[in-house]
Structure formats: C-alpha cells, structure tokens
Amino acid sequence: MRLVFRHGLFVGKFYPPHLGHHFVIRAAASNCETVSVVVMASVVESIPIADRIAWLRAEHSADANVRVVGICCDAPVDVNDPTVWAAQVAAMRAALRSVTDAPVDAVYTGEDYGEELAARFEAKHVRLDRPPDGPSSTSVRSDLAAAWHTLSPATKAGLTTRVVVLGAESTGTTTVSRQLVASYRSRGGIWADTVWIGEYGRDYTETKWARERQIALAKERPLPSLDELVWTHDDFDQVAAEQPRRENEAVLDGSPLLICDTDAFATAMWERRYLGAIARCDQSWSRAPLLPRRDVYLLTDHHDVPWCDDGLREGDLVVRAAMTAWFADELTRDGCSWILLNGSLEQRISLARRAIDALLAHRHRMPSPLQGPGFERSA
C-alpha cells in the first residue's frame, strides 16, 4: 500500500483512550510513514498523563510507525480566540520537538476545528469520524462500566479497581473473597466478568508436598507430614512472582473490579511466619516493582472465626493473632489502605461491599476536562 503522508499528527486528551481513538491511530498509521500521537492533559483531569501514554503505547506497540508523546497543558479552550490557539499549538509543537523535527503534513481529527488546526501546521486536514460502534470520551467518562468493552486491555488493567483480601490462617479470606465475587457477578452485564484470583501459595504447597511424598515413596521412607516440609526463600520467591503474574493477566479482560485472595505482600508475611525472615520482610513486596497497584486491602480478623484445619494448615490461635498484628503493622508502615473485616460473615461482607462500592464510585468519577466555546468535548 502506498503511503500518502510522511508525518501524521493526532492530538487528543485520550481521557481515557478508547476504541474510537485506536481506530483513528491505526487509520493514520496505514497511510503515513510516521504518526505522532500527542496526549494533552490538564490538572483538572483525574487520569495521570503518564498512564494515558503508557496505555496508548501498549495498545499500539505493534504499530512500528506510531509514537506517543504527551504534554501537560492548562491553557483555556476556545476555538474563537487566536491567543488560545497560539498557546495550544505551541504546546503541541513542544511535545513534537521532544521526539522529532520533521514537519507535520497531515493532521487527523474527527472535529470541526480540524481545518484550523491543520492550517496552523501548514498541513492537510484528514477527517476521520469514529466508527459506528465507537464511543465518545464523554460517554465513557459518564458511565465507565457501560463502555468497558470499548477499552483496550492496557486501559482496562489501569482502570480496574483492585481489592486484596488477606489474613492469617483460617480467618475466612477465601470465603469472603469468593462471596464478594459472587455478589458482584450477580449484577450482570460487565460485572458478570468479575475475576477471582485464588491463593497460589496453596497450589504450590500441594505440589511441593506431593513431590516430597513421591520422593519418600521412591526411597521407601516414611511419608512426610505437612509440618515436616522444608521451606526456603526460593519457595517464597516463586510464589511471590506467580501471584501477581496471574493478577496482571486477569485484569486485561475482566470487569472493572478484581478481587484477590492474598497477594505477594502476604507472601512476605508467610515467609516471616515460616523462616523468620524479618530482614527480607523489611524489603516487603508492597514496595517492590513486582506488586501491582492495589486500591484497598481487606484484612480478615481472627476473632469470631473458629479454627478450621483443612489439611493444609499448621497454625493455631496464638499464631493467628500474631499474624493479624503483623499484617496490620506492615500495611500501616507501607502506607497501604486497609480495613479490618470483623464480626459475623454477613457483617464482614457488608463492610467489604460498602468500601468497594465507594472505591468504584470514586475511580469511575472522572471530572470533565476544560470546557470552552466552539469545542465538542469528545477527544
């Protein structure tokens, strides 16, 4: 296919990026040698510019001729004011200069002001309206859940509310987390895709125990009990690496909510429990790049929950109390948001749902971008 232009430009807020934006970028990439996508963000907007840039780069990583740059611009919005035009275009040119000196010869927009913008770059205006099934940014911001299917995997991952349920042995983390997932799935629609991430440490323990029993059988030795397993730092490192891998995979195509039964932070606590690894705990997983962003931890209280040995537990009431305190202290020290789930199971679920609903409302509330005469706020 013959390329029509050398350097195409597409400017927008991408607040957030959605199917319509990706349609324009790919169309531009198909007939330009190079396409520069300029993200212009304002302080009044709630999604950081770095996130928008990262999400766009992830979605278009296979488009070798697309480059994404960004600039913060709080100039007013008014297509009827030449001083505003000059300020806005100056910011666009500064963003472009950070990656290239090549002149722009095509400006892609879906807006009426595109002719003026192209003229200021002495370029041709190529108007590309969003596809029939493509949303406007305004509609996405007004109902993020309804527009969830129009977002790229990277954008979904970035906007998903992440909740981690953790606690000492036999304090109901699995029961609580599973009931929460069932509750949100029952809402239907996109919420039916709410994902639950189980505790990989349990899977690892079962595998490790079975392997040690096989070795014992082969050598005609007594079968080892659970409390005879020898744990190493490498064991915990493997668990701590796999847990977030599963989490990061799940958020690419789930609902706006992810609920995890434990995480890599909790792995550090279990390492302390079995190996006394206080020094390693001081470099906890919550401060490591390994740990994804999370919005809140729900800590299950050991009170009012009877001890239940499911065959993979080897603690007791004293250990449970100590670990609850460890979790609370480490989460507090790391500046994490956490809530103690206490009372009956019904009370714990109710408290958790109230907290999660508030978080979802907050994360889905996106302030309007700067408004101004003559602009349709769709980019």
Side-chain angles (χ1 to χ4, degrees):
M1 178 179 179
R2 186 176 70 86
L3 298 178
V4 180
F5 302 107
R6 295 189 63 185
H7 185 196
L9 171 65
F10 182 35
V11 179
K13 288 188 170 296
F14 308 99
Y15 176 48
H18 54 68
L19 183 152
H21 295 133
H22 302 310
F23 169 81
V24 173
I25 293 171
R26 291 195 170 95
S30 70
N31 62 5
C32 293
E33 291 182 12
T34 302
V35 176
S36 293
V37 178
V38 176
V39 181
M40 298 186 73
S42 167
V43 70
V44 304
E45 298 153 5
S46 59
I47 301 177
I49 187 172
D51 288 348
R52 297 181 231 180
I53 292 172
W55 300 341
L56 285 165
R57 287 176 176 170
E59 177 63 13
H60 296 280
S61 59
D63 301 316
N65 60 337
V66 172
R67 55 193 169 195
V68 183
V69 295
I71 190 166
C72 295
C73 180
D74 287 290
V77 177
D78 187 348
V79 296
N80 303 313
D81 188 333
T83 62
V84 169
W85 268 110
Q88 293 276 2
V89 172
M92 297 175 197
R93 289 188 181 279
L96 287 172
R97 286 196 300 273
S98 69
V99 292
T100 183
D101 292 325
V104 172
D105 58 347
V107 173
Y108 291 79
T109 78
E111 309 290 353
D112 293 335
Y113 60 77
E115 290 291 342
E116 176 68 18
L117 179 59
R120 289 179 177 271
F121 278 94
E122 299 180 352
K124 178 178 177 58
H125 178 222
V126 181
R127 177 156 187 155
L128 289 175
D129 292 324
R130 61 177 176 263
D133 57 345
S136 69
S137 292
T138 300
S139 66
V140 174
R141 289 191 295 270
S142 64
D143 192 345
L144 185 64
W148 196 252
H149 66 286
T150 72
L151 306 181
S152 71
T155 303
K156 288 180 182 177
L159 292 176
T160 296
T161 297
R162 305 188 189 210
V163 177
V164 178
V165 183
L166 48 67
E169 283 185 304
S170 191
T171 57
T173 60
T174 301
T175 299
V176 168
S177 59
R178 282 189 175 279
Q179 287 201 19
L180 286 172
V181 169
S183 175
Y184 282 95
R185 285 178 180 172
S186 68
R187 291 184 175 184
I190 192 61
W191 300 102
D193 295 330
T194 300
V195 175
W196 176 80
I197 301 297
E199 182 183 359
Y200 174 65
R202 291 181 62 84
D203 299 338
Y204 188 90
T205 298
E206 291 179 354
T207 300
K208 180 181 176 71
W209 195 11
R211 183 172 60 248
E212 293 299 322
R213 290 166 69 88
Q214 289 175 355
I215 292 173
L217 283 172
K219 296 184 177 182
E220 298 182 346
R221 296 175 179 172
L223 299 182
S225 63
L226 179 62
D227 59 8
E228 290 176 320
L229 289 182
V230 177
W231 294 93
T232 68
H233 292 306
D234 183 63
D235 289 321
F236 289 97
D237 286 346
Q238 290 186 55
V239 173
E242 176 63 14
Q243 192 76 42
R245 189 201 67 76
R246 294 185 177 192
E247 181 180 335
N248 287 332
E249 183 179 82
V251 291
L252 297 177
D253 195 28
S255 82
L257 174 65
L258 178 72
I259 296 180
C260 304
D261 178 8
T262 200
D263 72 346
F265 170 85
T267 301
M269 296 297 100
W270 291 110
E271 186 174 24
R272 177 178 177 180
R273 156 78 169 84
Y274 286 101
L275 301 181
I278 297 177
R280 285 168 62 88
C281 190
D282 287 341
Q283 301 172 359
S284 70
W285 298 109
S286 64
R287 285 192 292 271
L290 191 65
L291 196 68
R293 188 207 82 247
R294 43 265 296 89
D295 295 283
V296 69
Y297 283 95
L298 303 178
L299 175 58
T300 51
D301 195 356
H302 61 283
H303 292 295
D304 301 319
V305 181
W307 173 263
C308 177
D309 187 354
D310 63 357
L312 287 175
R313 292 171 177 155
E314 50 180 313
D316 54 35
L317 298 179
V318 175
V319 172
R320 286 202 308 173
M323 288 202 69
T324 300
W326 290 353
F327 280 121
D329 291 347
E330 289 296 323
L331 289 170
T332 300
R333 189 182 71 170
D334 285 352
C336 300
S337 173
W338 64 276
I339 299 169
L340 182 69
L341 299 186
N342 60 93
S344 67
L345 177 59
E346 292 73 19
Q347 290 173 316
R348 295 178 184 220
I349 297 298
S350 175
L351 177 57
R353 283 204 54 168
R354 289 168 63 186
I356 294 171
D357 286 344
L359 281 171
L360 287 170
H362 170 71
R363 287 188 59 79
H364 291 203
R365 188 181 303 116
M366 299 182 190
S368 298
L370 293 174
Q371 306 286 332
F375 273 82
E376 177 187 352
R377 303 312 307 162
S378 61

